[in-house]
Amino acid sequence: MEKIRETLLRHKGALVTDFDGTLTLSGSSLHAAVKVLGPDSGLARGRDLLYHTLGKPLFEEALKGNVNSSLKKQAELWWEKQLELYVTEQVSEEILARAAALLEPRTEILELLRFCLEKEIPVWIVSAGLENVIRFWLGQQEIPDEKIRILANRIRYGEEKPAGQVPVITAWNKKERFFQQAGRSADRYLVFLGDQKEDLYWREENAESFLLREKSA
């Protein structure tokens, strides 16, 4: 962590970090609600069906290294259908808050976030997970989210009920989505932090990447 802090300060950089597996040790911001609702819930059954028809073939191809434009389109459909389940099953924000509480944090990364906020270093969380859960999680860790930019999937709520979702973020389009929305942040020295190769090396120049492994950074 010290090297990351030094890099951010020396270059007056911005931190671009993944969420699941990077800020957390286990669990999924997109799927933790399934654990809250249980295996017999409509959300769980619907997700299982989607996984076998869309998700499993997708990830099998990805493991072979076949991440092309066609696969990226399939991924967007897989993520979109998962988000639609939250709306059709009317998953409440209270359930998402309980889901956030299941995600164990990496304490050293929490300290890094606090350091960045203290030093006024820009922070982007770019994730294929669920923004609603990420914001609840940050609040539970007593980290103010108003100075953190979050680019992730989000369920829109109206009158306390899920009413739709924003355009999907997947493991394979989040790089492009970040640079579409980064604005002036992209002019800075960027420090990429993640636990998988999809989180890293989004840019070669004026940037550095750090890979986290298992429970220690």
Side-chain angles (χ1 to χ4, degrees), residues 99-126:
L102 298 177
L103 307 178
E104 183 182 357
R106 285 186 189 257
T107 56
E108 69 271 27
I109 307 302
L110 290 180
E111 293 171 3
L112 177 62
L113 290 185
R114 294 187 179 104
F115 169 83
C116 289
L117 294 178
E118 177 187 343
K119 300 297 183 181
E120 297 185 345
I121 295 169
V123 175
W124 282 74
I125 295 174
V126 185

Side-chain angles (χ1 to χ4, degrees), residues 6 12 21 26 62 82 102 104 107 116 126 135 164 171 201 209 216-217:
E6 290 175 355
K12 296 182 180 180
S26 61
Q82 291 181 89
L102 298 177
E104 183 182 357
T107 56
C116 289
V126 185
R135 290 194 183 278
Y201 306 106
S209 291
S216 59

Side-chain angles (χ1 to χ4, degrees), residues 4 7 17 48 62 73 100 130-131 139 179-180 186 196 199:
I4 297 175
T7 300
T17 178
D48 285 346
K73 285 294 183 184
L130 198 57
E131 178 183 340
F179 284 113
Q180 287 170 1
Q196 299 184 65
D199 307 324

Side-chain angles (χ1 to χ4, degrees), residues 145-211:
D145 66 357
E146 62 268 15
K147 292 186 178 181
I148 296 176
R149 294 291 302 273
I150 302 175
L151 180 58
N153 297 292
R154 177 168 57 86
I155 304 298
R156 293 187 293 104
Y157 281 82
E159 298 181 353
E160 299 184 357
K161 295 181 179 180
Q165 70 266 9
V166 299
V168 295
I169 307 294
T170 77
W172 297 290
N173 75 5
K174 61 183 186 176
K175 171 185 173 180
E176 290 78 9
R177 293 292 173 86
F178 169 73
F179 284 113
Q180 287 170 1
Q181 298 193 30
R184 294 178 63 184
S185 291
D187 296 332
R188 289 177 173 265
Y189 190 96
L190 298 180
V191 172
F192 299 108
L193 180 64
D195 66 306
Q196 299 184 65
K197 64 180 182 179
E198 289 85 4
D199 307 324
L200 309 174
Y201 306 106
W202 291 357
R203 188 170 74 192
E204 292 185 7
E205 296 182 354
N206 206 35
E208 192 165 352
S209 291
F210 294 87
L211 177 66

Side-chain angles (χ1 to χ4, degrees), residues 4-164:
I4 297 175
R5 292 188 183 95
E6 290 175 355
T7 300
L8 287 165
L9 286 175
R10 182 170 67 253
H11 295 282
K12 296 182 180 180
L15 179 67
V16 182
T17 178
D18 175 51
F19 181 76
D20 295 309
T22 300
L23 298 184
T24 66
L25 286 169
S26 61
S28 165
S29 57
L30 188 58
H31 303 141
V34 171
K35 290 189 176 182
V36 174
L37 293 169
D40 295 325
S41 66
L43 185 65
R45 293 196 301 270
R47 185 190 173 277
D48 285 346
L49 178 61
L50 284 175
Y51 175 74
H52 288 291
T53 57
L54 292 174
K56 187 177 180 181
L58 173 73
F59 291 115
E60 286 176 348
E61 286 301 306
L63 285 173
K64 297 175 185 176
N66 299 329
V67 182
N68 52 31
S69 59
S70 175
L71 191 81
K72 289 181 179 181
K73 285 294 183 184
Q74 292 178 47
E76 290 180 11
L77 179 62
W78 154 242
W79 259 267
E80 182 180 324
K81 292 299 183 182
Q82 291 181 89
L83 294 171
E84 286 177 359
L85 278 175
Y86 281 82
V87 179
T88 57
E89 295 298 326
Q90 292 291 285
V91 179
S92 69
E93 291 184 286
E94 185 268 336
I95 292 296
L96 298 186
R98 289 169 58 189
L102 298 177
L103 307 178
E104 183 182 357
R106 285 186 189 257
T107 56
E108 69 271 27
I109 307 302
L110 290 180
E111 293 171 3
L112 177 62
L113 290 185
R114 294 187 179 104
F115 169 83
C116 289
L117 294 178
E118 177 187 343
K119 300 297 183 181
E120 297 185 345
I121 295 169
V123 175
W124 282 74
I125 295 174
V126 185
S127 171
L130 198 57
E131 178 183 340
N132 312 68
V133 172
I134 293 170
R135 290 194 183 278
F136 281 126
W137 185 89
L138 289 170
Q140 291 164 5
Q141 312 309 319
E142 298 183 346
I143 293 180
D145 66 357
E146 62 268 15
K147 292 186 178 181
I148 296 176
R149 294 291 302 273
I150 302 175
L151 180 58
N153 297 292
R154 177 168 57 86
I155 304 298
R156 293 187 293 104
Y157 281 82
E159 298 181 353
E160 299 184 357
K161 295 181 179 180

